Amino acid sequence: MTLPITFLSDYGLADEFAGVVHAVIARICPQAQVVDLGHGVPRQDVAAGARMLARALPYAAPGVHLAVVDPQVGARRRALALRTVEEDRLGGVAEAVEISASPWRLDPVSATFHGRDLFAPVAARLAAGEPLGEAGTPLEPGELVRIELTRARVEEGGLVARVVERDGFGNLALDATHRDLAEAGMRLGGPIGVRFSGRRASGTYVRTFADVRRGGLLLYEDAGGAPAIAVNGGDAGALLGVRPGDELRLEPG
Amino acid sequence: MTLPITFLSDYGLADEFAGVVHAVIARICPQAQVVDLGHGVPRQDVAAGARMLARALPYAAPGVHLAVVDPQVGARRRALALRTVEEDRLGGVAEAVEISASPWRLDPVSATFHGRDLFAPVAARLAAGEPLGEAGTPLEPGELVRIELTRARVEEGGLVARVVERDGFGNLALDATHRDLAEAGMRLGGPIGVRFSGRRASGTYVRTFADVRRGGLLLYEDAGGAPAIAVNGGDAGALLGVRPGDELRLEPG
Amino acid sequence: MTLPITFLSDYGLADEFAGVVHAVIARICPQAQVVDLGHGVPRQDVAAGARMLARALPYAAPGVHLAVVDPQVGARRRALALRTVEEDRLGGVAEAVEISASPWRLDPVSATFHGRDLFAPVAARLAAGEPLGEAGTPLEPGELVRIELTRARVEEGGLVARVVERDGFGNLALDATHRDLAEAGMRLGGPIGVRFSGRRASGTYVRTFADVRRGGLLLYEDAGGAPAIAVNGGDAGALLGVRPGDELRLEPG
């Protein structure tokens, strides 16, 4: 049985990179269905890619998930293929294999395009049902490095949160939880303030965009369940002059 | 028999939104073919999305057509699925169902990502052959609201037309017809003027880009049959400083 | 047997153009697999499109390759379908047919959207197995025009190379070969200089991005085997103020 493949990367769509990866997969396993989760991960931003993958995978069918965001092409990072514990695609790792010298690679492997030369043929062969163990060299669980993600903190009646992502609409996802907002004194339906770089913008903590007037600032729970800041019909990132990585202070009232 | 699906949205491709919709469809109805008509509808611009859909659908196979452009996420708009009169995909509605509380929805439905939680599962189940009537609650024809689109008008020897769209090349589609141009005195092969914001640019009314020199302004009939303004090898929107929604005056001579 | 199709164009993804081409193909030959190689060819840049195609095709399965970059829509260029010599998709032409008046075209053929009206139906019918000879009118080999591509030249201890492409990361592909660099005195691992517009930037000739510090300028061999200039984690095009078509001077030391 052929497994479906999802594909996420930081390749963008200006070049042929994502297309060539598709071509390699189609050549090796033409019957595999490939779903592009997206190719707009900010360049080399492994944490942002991990967040996009974590948001998307619960909605995907079980199968092969190809994700390529290379912090330093050709550097000391290792190319991996993992098998997860059944029914838990975001958690436990059941088997890990290093594929840098995979017997399935395209020869010669280029120095800079491992998506094409390593990851695509490995994904295609796994989709075709070949065993993960033959994709490369086994890794010990202790050799895996887990990404450390930042976390908002309550401070003197406010919440200091980091902008972890700015989407195509300018909406700003925060490294906070619903509970953090409550602990810092913010209540659904109540006014909030956002401080950044010496300025303060006023908004409302609401359920949906339509709960504020057009152009109004809102704090809401995004589709993934995490607090986010937006402007109804506008661009919150542009309004606040904020970029991913910046720290904001959220306050009640 | 599985129906094919087309998919149009204002999600853009920077995020994983369109990809996750694909993932949901593939999970529910993996055998359905999904054709992306595009995800570049200007944000929340329902009229622009309707025009793109009207241009594209006559070329698509009969099937399920998923179009998501949400003017106000979570607002009073209602999520609909329609069945059209056979052989007339742009006109008559044979059956209408509100799907906001569809039994096919993904639970819990988020406040902001109805493409994933409502529209994708409904499209997938319809593609799989399930009956529209089971997708939600029937609507009376009188409850449907038809979009009002603007229309160019002849005035004192000229034509006042609105720019309804600016494509990726900077070409400007107008809310006019070939007949409007004739009524305002413009003739194929003849000179024309475009007035906007106190300035006037000169061009020619021609059949194709190649009928003017590189850098020349032209008025032509676009692939959809509507008059449009372009610069051969350039960007008419940038040249004229015009954006969708702006009104231009076109004149003969 | 249905052939797979690849699809490359300069349509971009802001509009529905690429999507409509997909829709036409899916309507005529729904069982054909279509792989998008990309739609980000710089507008009307036939040479850039040819380079992207040459880099991608060796990785694609044999089949139908649809490439649409129209230098002057509706102009004297002729719409072609070619069959290549077996096992040599980048070289010899075994059969050439002009398809401008193809019996397979969609009628009426628009003046500006030949991708939809000519190329898509021809690609779909070829994928379905119909013979190339029936797609249009035979061409003599002598009627074909081969694209002339520029070539770097060694001059007084340096190499004058043209930037042939700037990818989505700002990396600059050159019209040079590894051998050109050696002839001009540059050695792998050694320092290099890049002169443009009266300024000089210093960098290193290395194998991979990781061989220089973050923000460092590097000369390297890209995935296609051609020399390119980049900034590790940055945008070489922006740093140097260089655009495709500009000539740079590379020097050892």
Side-chain angles (χ1 to χ4, degrees):
Chain A
M1 200 198 75
T2 308
L3 294 170
I5 297 173
T6 67
F7 179 22
L8 177 79
S9 81
D10 68 344
Y11 287 143
L13 292 167
D15 310 297
E16 81 278 10
F17 301 149
V20 170
V21 168
H22 274 273
V24 170
I25 292 171
R27 187 165 200 177
I28 296 172
C29 185
Q31 70 278 21
Q33 183 183 51
V34 186
V35 166
D36 286 297
L37 294 182
H39 300 291
V41 176
R43 185 185 179 194
Q44 301 189 329
D45 190 339
V46 174
R51 283 191 200 91
M52 288 175 76
L53 199 62
R55 283 195 300 265
L57 284 194
Y59 295 93
V64 177
H65 304 293
L66 172 60
V68 185
V69 178
D70 201 335
Q72 280 189 294
V73 174
R76 276 153 298 175
R77 94 287 183 281
R78 296 158 81 175
L80 300 182
L82 307 174
R83 188 164 58 77
T84 61
V85 178
E86 205 170 351
E87 294 302 310
D88 178 5
R89 274 163 289 157
L90 298 175
V93 173
E95 185 180 0
V97 169
E98 173 162 9
I99 61 168
S100 304
S102 173
W104 299 341
R105 70 188 183 276
L106 302 191
D107 250 337
V109 172
S110 66
T112 53
F113 196 176
H114 291 173
R116 178 192 65 196
D117 300 333
L118 286 180
F119 292 102
V122 168
R125 298 255 200 157
L126 294 175
E130 299 194 39
L132 179 62
E134 295 182 8
T137 316
L139 272 186
E140 294 305 312
E143 295 182 84
L144 294 173
V145 179
R146 187 172 278 269
I147 295 176
E148 296 287 345
L149 299 176
T150 66
R151 182 66 207 287
R153 60 189 184 281
V154 178
E155 270 185 9
E156 309 160 32
L159 182 72
V160 178
R162 194 176 295 271
V163 174
V164 292
E165 219 170 293
R166 174 181 172 163
D167 72 17
F169 298 141
N171 304 332
L172 306 168
L174 305 175
D175 64 345
T177 64
H178 187 77
R179 179 183 293 267
D180 293 333
L181 299 178
E183 284 183 13
M186 285 167 272
R187 297 288 171 260
L188 195 63
I192 56 116
V194 180
R195 289 189 187 277
F196 177 68
S197 191
R199 290 187 307 171
R200 186 180 196 277
S202 294
T204 318
Y205 177 17
V206 294
R207 276 197 71 247
T208 81
F209 281 66
D211 291 335
V212 301
R213 64 174 169 71
R214 203 166 173 85
L217 186 79
L218 61 144
L219 174 65
Y220 71 108
E221 205 163 300
D222 71 15
I229 296 171
V231 169
N232 185 11
D235 183 320
L239 176 77
L240 299 169
V242 164
R243 293 189 300 187
D246 289 336
E247 275 193 351
L248 304 173
R249 186 180 156 87
L250 298 174
E251 304 166 344
Chain B
M1 198 199 75
T2 307
L3 294 170
I5 298 173
T6 67
F7 179 21
L8 176 80
S9 79
D10 69 343
Y11 288 143
L13 291 167
D15 310 295
E16 80 279 10
F17 301 148
V20 169
V21 168
H22 273 274
V24 171
I25 292 171
R27 186 166 200 177
I28 296 172
C29 186
Q31 70 277 22
Q33 183 184 50
V34 186
V35 166
D36 286 296
L37 294 181
H39 300 291
V41 176
R43 186 188 178 192
Q44 302 190 328
D45 190 340
V46 173
R51 284 192 198 89
M52 289 175 75
L53 199 61
R55 285 195 300 266
L57 284 195
Y59 296 93
V64 177
H65 304 294
L66 172 60
V68 185
V69 178
D70 201 335
Q72 281 189 293
V73 173
R76 275 152 299 175
R77 94 284 183 281
R78 295 158 81 174
L80 300 182
L82 308 175
R83 188 164 56 78
T84 62
V85 178
E86 206 171 351
E87 293 302 310
D88 179 3
R89 274 163 290 157
L90 297 177
V93 173
E95 185 181 0
V97 169
E98 174 163 7
I99 61 168
S100 304
S102 174
W104 299 341
R105 70 188 183 277
L106 301 191
D107 251 335
V109 172
S110 66
T112 53
F113 196 176
H114 292 174
R116 177 192 65 196
D117 299 333
L118 287 181
F119 292 102
V122 168
R125 296 255 201 155
L126 294 175
E130 299 194 37
L132 178 61
E134 297 183 6
T137 316
L139 273 186
E140 294 305 312
E143 297 181 84
L144 295 174
V145 180
R146 188 171 277 271
I147 295 175
E148 296 288 343
L149 299 176
T150 67
R151 183 67 207 288
R153 60 189 184 279
V154 178
E155 271 184 8
E156 309 159 32
L159 183 71
V160 177
R162 195 176 293 272
V163 174
V164 292
E165 218 171 293
R166 175 182 172 161
D167 74 14
F169 298 140
N171 304 332
L172 305 169
L174 305 175
D175 63 346
T177 64
H178 187 76
R179 179 183 295 265
D180 294 333
L181 299 177
E183 284 183 13
M186 285 166 273
R187 296 287 169 262
L188 195 63
I192 55 115
V194 180
R195 289 191 188 276
F196 178 68
S197 190
R199 291 186 307 173
R200 187 180 196 278
S202 295
T204 319
Y205 178 16
V206 295
R207 274 198 71 249
T208 80
F209 280 66
D211 292 335
V212 302
R213 62 173 171 70
R214 199 165 176 85
L217 187 77
L218 62 143
L219 175 65
Y220 71 108
E221 205 163 301
D222 72 17
I229 297 172
V231 169
N232 185 10
D235 183 321
L239 176 75
L240 298 169
V242 164
R243 291 188 301 185
D246 288 336
E247 276 194 352
L248 305 173
R249 186 180 156 86
L250 298 173
E251 306 167 342
Chain C
M1 199 198 74
T2 308
L3 294 171
I5 298 173
T6 68
F7 179 21
L8 177 79
S9 80
D10 69 344
Y11 288 144
L13 291 168
D15 310 297
E16 79 279 12
F17 301 149
V20 170
V21 168
H22 274 272
V24 171
I25 293 170
R27 186 164 200 177
I28 296 172
C29 187
Q31 69 279 21
Q33 182 183 52
V34 186
V35 166
D36 287 295
L37 294 181
H39 302 290
V41 176
R43 186 183 177 195
Q44 302 189 326
D45 189 340
V46 175
R51 283 191 199 92
M52 287 175 76
L53 200 60
R55 284 194 301 265
L57 283 195
Y59 295 93
V64 178
H65 305 293
L66 172 59
V68 185
V69 179
D70 200 335
Q72 280 188 296
V73 174
R76 275 153 299 176
R77 93 286 181 283
R78 295 159 80 176
L80 301 182
L82 308 173
R83 189 164 55 79
T84 62
V85 179
E86 205 169 351
E87 294 301 308
D88 179 4
R89 274 162 288 157
L90 296 176
V93 173
E95 185 180 1
V97 170
E98 174 163 8
I99 61 167
S100 305
S102 174
W104 300 340
R105 71 187 182 277
L106 302 192
D107 250 337
V109 172
S110 65
T112 52
F113 197 177
H114 291 174
R116 177 192 65 195
D117 299 333
L118 285 180
F119 291 102
V122 169
R125 297 256 201 156
L126 294 175
E130 298 194 38
L132 179 61
E134 297 182 6
T137 315
L139 273 186
E140 294 305 312
E143 297 181 84
L144 295 174
V145 180
R146 187 171 278 270
I147 294 175
E148 295 288 345
L149 299 177
T150 66
R151 182 66 206 286
R153 59 189 185 279
V154 177
E155 271 185 7
E156 309 158 34
L159 183 72
V160 177
R162 193 176 295 270
V163 173
V164 292
E165 218 172 293
R166 174 181 171 162
D167 73 16
F169 298 141
N171 303 331
L172 305 168
L174 305 174
D175 64 346
T177 63
H178 187 78
R179 179 182 294 265
D180 294 333
L181 298 178
E183 283 182 15
M186 285 167 273
R187 296 288 170 261
L188 195 63
I192 56 117
V194 181
R195 288 190 188 276
F196 177 69
S197 189
R199 291 187 305 171
R200 187 180 196 278
S202 295
T204 318
Y205 178 15
V206 294
R207 276 197 69 248
T208 81
F209 281 67
D211 292 335
V212 303
R213 62 172 172 73
R214 199 164 176 86
L217 187 78
L218 60 144
L219 175 65
Y220 71 108
E221 206 163 301
D222 72 16
I229 297 171
V231 169
N232 185 12
D235 183 321
L239 176 76
L240 298 169
V242 163
R243 291 189 302 186
D246 288 336
E247 276 193 352
L248 304 174
R249 186 178 157 87
L250 298 173
E251 306 168 341

